[in-house]
Amino acid sequence: MAISEATYLKTMWERNECPNCRSAIPEGKRVGTGRKKDGGFCSLDCYTRYYAMELSEKAKLLKRSGRSHPNEP
Ligand SMILES: [Zn+2]
């Protein structure tokens, strides 16, 4: 993946598309924190799902990195 998550969220904001389901966000219906780097979503459902997914992905990464030192207790 060439672009960072923050860049992705910003790009989708500028395109007026939802980062979760990729559909167009109706005028004035953007859901989010109001900051571009946190992204704008078409609905609260997409906002919740996107960040729920991110958290579980982060949890997986933490578990993997925990196994990178097999000789340590
Ligand atoms: Zn959406």
Side-chain angles (χ1 to χ4, degrees):
M1 208 159 74
I3 59 165
S4 73
E5 187 185 353
T7 305
Y8 171 69
L9 290 173
K10 232 165 101 176
T11 305
M12 295 306 274
W13 179 295
E14 275 151 17
R15 284 188 191 171
N16 213 39
E17 286 174 28
C18 177
N20 185 58
C21 67
R22 301 209 161 192
S23 59
I25 301 169
E27 187 73 33
K29 294 279 183 186
R30 181 181 280 134
V31 177
T33 62
R35 288 178 296 187
K36 272 190 192 180
K37 71 179 183 69
D38 293 331
F41 299 81
C42 72
S43 67
L44 193 59
D45 196 45
C46 279
Y47 177 83
T48 310
R49 277 178 201 209
Y50 182 82
Y51 280 103
M53 179 183 76
E54 189 200 33
L55 285 172
S56 66
E57 290 302 309
K58 273 182 185 168
K60 278 181 205 165
L61 286 171
L62 285 170
K63 277 181 189 172
R64 269 185 221 145
S65 66
R67 286 179 188 178
S68 61
H69 302 288
N71 293 329
E72 290 175 23

